[in-house]
Every structure is written in structure tokens, then in C-alpha cells.
Amino acid sequence: MPQDKFYITTPIYYVNDVPHIGHAYTTIAADVVARYKRLEGYEVFFLTGTDEHGQKVQQAANDLNLSPQEHTNKLHQRFKELWVRLNISNSDFIRTTEERHKKLVRNILQELHSKGEIYQDSYEGWYCTPCERFWTEKDLAQGNCPECQRKVEKIKEHNYFFRMGKYQEWLIDRIKNDPHFILPASRRNEVLGFLDKPLEDLCISRPRSRLPWGIPLPFDEEYVTYVWFDALINYISIHGSLEEIKASGFWPADHNMVGKDILTTHAVYWSTMLKAIGLEPPKNIFAHGWWTVNGQKMSKSLQNVVEPNQLIEQFGVDAIRYFLLREVPFGLDGDFSHKALIGRLNSDLANNLGNLLNRTVNMMKKYCGGTIPTPATAGPEDEPLTTKAEEVIAEVRKLYGELAYNKILQKIWELVDTTNQYIDKTGPWNLAKTDEGKERLKTVMYNSAESLRVLGVLLNPFMPTSTESLMKQLGAETSIEDQGMISINEWGGLKPGSQTQKAKQLFPRIEDKQAKKILDELSEPKEDNKDSQITIDEFMKVELKTGKILEAEKVKKSKKLIQLKVDIGTETRQILAGIAGSYEPEDLVGRTVIIVANLKPAKLMGIESQGMVLAAGNDGKILLAGFDQEPGQGIQVR
Ligand SMILES: [Zn+2]
């Protein structure tokens, strides 16, 4: 019988990015499912890779005096190497600059152009070079790019468009009729919300004169392909030509796994592109959340980008794989903290699971001479353990369908706990004291070891290295991969007579002293940074605006306060300022001042102040900040 096929992908990562914990997270998550499906007997194709075209790559290459191709040849290695260190079992690695990819992109473009799905039109819009995106007038944020806040240029040019708009109704129906198509449900609603507005056609070309680093359009070499129209095709180009894709049995993919920031691109662009090509959309697009680090957004300037290579050295690969998927429900945002990681490593891994293996293997040596004994018929005390194992296995299988990693791990830990309790309750150390007890002891020791074998199989997709070591210690003769999920369908797969090996710690504890050292080292450079400098992002959070003082009066019973009415363009604010010692109210009316417009309102002397006026104070003399020319009201100051 042919094997059932299963296809899972990560997004292809932008080759210019430095691989961080977010990239590792998606890739580990996809890897766990791929490994699990293999254990279930599926023929699995697991794809990851790098997105290598576009302006930023070209720019970075120019700065380094390299050709873009030379540059990406170097850069993509950082991802490949990290995946090896993280034990990622991908079937292939696609690069969008490879011939096999470019070929299909061009064939698809040619076919869609011949079918009239692509047309030429003139286009006028606001263009953000760093983001490589056009924006309409209403998209702009105070005249700037809504995504990166940088300056935009007005550009008018001829371009090619994909008739995406005509698939709007089809797409809405598809999403509504298939609750599994886009997950989690909250994100599906966001996509439907986006589709409430008319769906426009997609500009899929860029003039080569402006952006040479891309795939030339086959029907007009003066243009290159828009990066998304190029990149998304990676999910199918790996399987060859359109005929080969259809024949491969790997399309539609079971999961296109993405970060929440690129969900719309996948749900809308990718699905409609496939529709036009004549292929099904993926069975599922799953958008996961983002990681902050110790409560803060990851950013290079904050120096808190968690470097996965460093984490691997400090804590070991499996602890990191476990932590990322255990800590936060897949789909929600999470916070990465070294403290939480150390906590989980010590309690879940070292204490609960590690000790269970350790005590079992040691007792096996002490009471059974290191040989797995033949169990007697199960008694009433054994039943809770075998029943729990059965329940956990069934539940885990179900939860994989929802990619509910944290629940899967929680569930598996119920079996860890039940097994520890089983040993405590049956007390092998007491059983060993009497002849009657010694017979019973065989069953207890067998069951404890068999439960660990079940745990080894269930945990293998998450922690491939540690679980193989666990299996060896238990004396199993075959690898977990060879045993498969089928080997835990029934209790009793562990062969009596097998020789256990010497007990070895799976997860060494991070002792308090060591933990303190790790945390201290981490906080040093960051604290520095925090005290003296802020990032442009942090500064941009402060909304400074110009405003004209319409009214001013002294606050009764206060020596310092003046109550102002300030027109900030969109509204009039009541603001209190401590400037009565330096200004008379009548001198203030008509003056333009700078105010902090997004300050939380506060009450002073029972009067609400809706903002703050900027001023410089020295020796009791206070001077209002202002301008040498009249800027007008409601203008942003920065
Ligand atoms: Zn931008």
C-alpha cells in the first residue's frame, strides 16, 4: 500500500535577516509536526528556505561590494547552519535564486499572462523604497509609510497587474466554508475583515531600471517580478513543473506555517494566485504569534535579539525546543525569558522527567540486575497507569490536528506525573524486602520502564536527541523512528530480557549559582542601554505637537499653575502648566507652544490636565519652548 503523504512548510526567511528566536520558533514547530507524522507512518515532505530577491538584498550587497548572488550565497548559510544545530529534519531547502525556482515562477507568469490574468496598466502611488511597497494616499500615516514611518515618494509608472480582485467572493466563501483553512480563528476573522473592503488587483512587477535584483518577467524583460509573487511560489516550485506538482501527491500542502505579520499575504495573495494557476489553496495556513524578550520587543538596537546559537550552547537544543513550544499556546504572542527557561528546564525536564528515568534505570539495576523483567498479569494498582497512558496517547493524536503544542506537552506530562506517583505508591524498595513482594516488583519495574518507553515515543518529535538516549538507557534495541507511534498502540512493547544501560542524566539541572551568573551577564549590557539611551521607536511613541494657546487663567489657590486652552488642530485641550511665576496669562494667549499630546490625563488641584507643555526651567525662571517662525497648529514635532 502506498504511504499517505504529508506536506508542511515554514515561510522562506528573508536572507538579510539575522536568524533569531522567531525564525527558530516557526522552524522547530514545523519540525515537530514533520517528525510526528513520520512516526505515524506518513511520507513527509518538510520544506524551509530563504527569500533572496529584492531591494534590501541588492543594497546590502552593494554596500559590501559584492554581487547580490555572491552575497546571498554567503548569507543563506546562516539559516542552514542553524537548522542543523537545532536538529531540524527538513527534506529540502529552497532558495528563490535557484534555477528550479525561477523556472516555475517564469512559467506561471507566462501562463497567467497568456490567459489574460495579468495585464498592463499605469500606476500612480506612494512608494516606500525600504518596504518595496506602494501605498495609496489614505494608507499613509502623516504623509509617511504606515509600516516603517519613513518618507515615501510619489511614483507614476507602467506596471503589470494580477487580476486578484475577481477572486474576492470565491476567497470569502472558501474561508467561511472551511474553518480549518485559516487558523487560529481570531486570525481568520482578521482576514475576513480585510476582505470586507473591495479587493484590488495586485501589482506584480517592478521596473528593472529601479530594481534589477529580481526574476525578469518572461513577457517583458524590462520588468522584474514583485518579491511576493516570486517568493510564495517556493511552496510549489520545490516539486517541479505544474504537472509534476500535481503528480507529486504533496499539493495542496497540509500546513503553510507563517508568522502573523505575513498572514494576509498568504491567505489572500497566495490563495488567489493558486486559484488562477488552477491549483488548490493549502489545506491550512496557520499564523503563529510573536516573541518579545523579557517583556520587550526584539530589536537590534536594544541588543536583546536572542541569539539561538548562544542559547543552544548554554542550555542544549532539546531544552530550547521544549521551552518554545511549551511556554506559549501556538498562535498567541509570547515572552521569552531566560528565567522562565531555566525554571522549566529544572522543574519539568530535570526534576520530573529526568528523575523518573534516572530512578527507574537505577532500580532496574538494583532489583532486576539491569534486565527488563517479565511482568505478571496487571493488578488494580497498575490500572491507573495503563489507562492514563491510553488516554494521553489518544489525546495527543487529536491535539496535533490543532497544532496545540503546549497542550500536547501538558498532556504528556500527566503521564510523567502518573508514572512518578505509581512508583511512589507501589514502593519498589519495600517490595524488594519480601519474597511475595519480589514477584510483584517485576510487574512494577516493567510498567515503569514501559511507561518511559511510551513517553520516549511521544516526546521524540519535540526532543529527538534526549529521547533516543532515554530509549537506549531502557535497553530498547531499535530507534524510536523504527518503533513509530504504532509501537505504543498497545501496552507492552518493551521486550523482557533487554539489558538496560547505565543511568545518565538527560537534563542536568542549572544550579542557582549558575543561573544567577547567566542572568547577570544578560542584564549587564542591556541595563546600560536602558539607562542612557532610547531607540528611535521609543522616542516616536511620544506624540509632540504644536498648539496655539486660546485662553489662559491663573488657577486659584495655586502660586504656580496656569490653566490653558490649547488648540492642537484637531481639538482643543485643557492643559495645566506650572509657569505662573514666569508668565502673565494675558501674555500667553496667541502663543504657539509644543505639547505632549499622548500623555495620560492627570488631575492637579482638582482640574484635569490633558497634556503637557514643553518648557525649560532654570533658577526658578521658566521659558516656554517655541519656534522662530509660526508653524501652524497640530503639526508633529520631532
Ligand atoms: Zn516603509
Side-chain angles (χ1 to χ4, degrees), residues 128 131 145 148:
C128 174
C131 295
C145 170
C148 69

Side-chain angles (χ1 to χ4, degrees), residues 39 129 193 228 245 264 293 298 310 355 396 444 450 477 497 580 584 589 616 619 626:
L39 289 183
T129 308
W228 275 110
I245 294 159
T264 312
V293 174
M298 256 188 275
Q310 197 189 341
N355 276 353
V396 164
V444 168
E450 171 66 358
E477 283 155 10
E584 288 303 321
V589 176
D619 294 335

Side-chain angles (χ1 to χ4, degrees), residues 539-563:
F539 172 71
M540 291 304 276
K541 280 188 196 157
V542 183
E543 206 183 305
L544 297 175
K545 278 188 171 176
T546 61
K548 190 173 223 167
I549 299 175
L550 302 177
E551 293 170 29
E553 59 176 306
K554 281 196 171 157
V555 174
K556 282 177 199 135
K557 287 188 244 165
S558 168
K559 275 185 200 157
K560 284 198 217 153
L561 289 179
I562 290 185
Q563 183 179 337

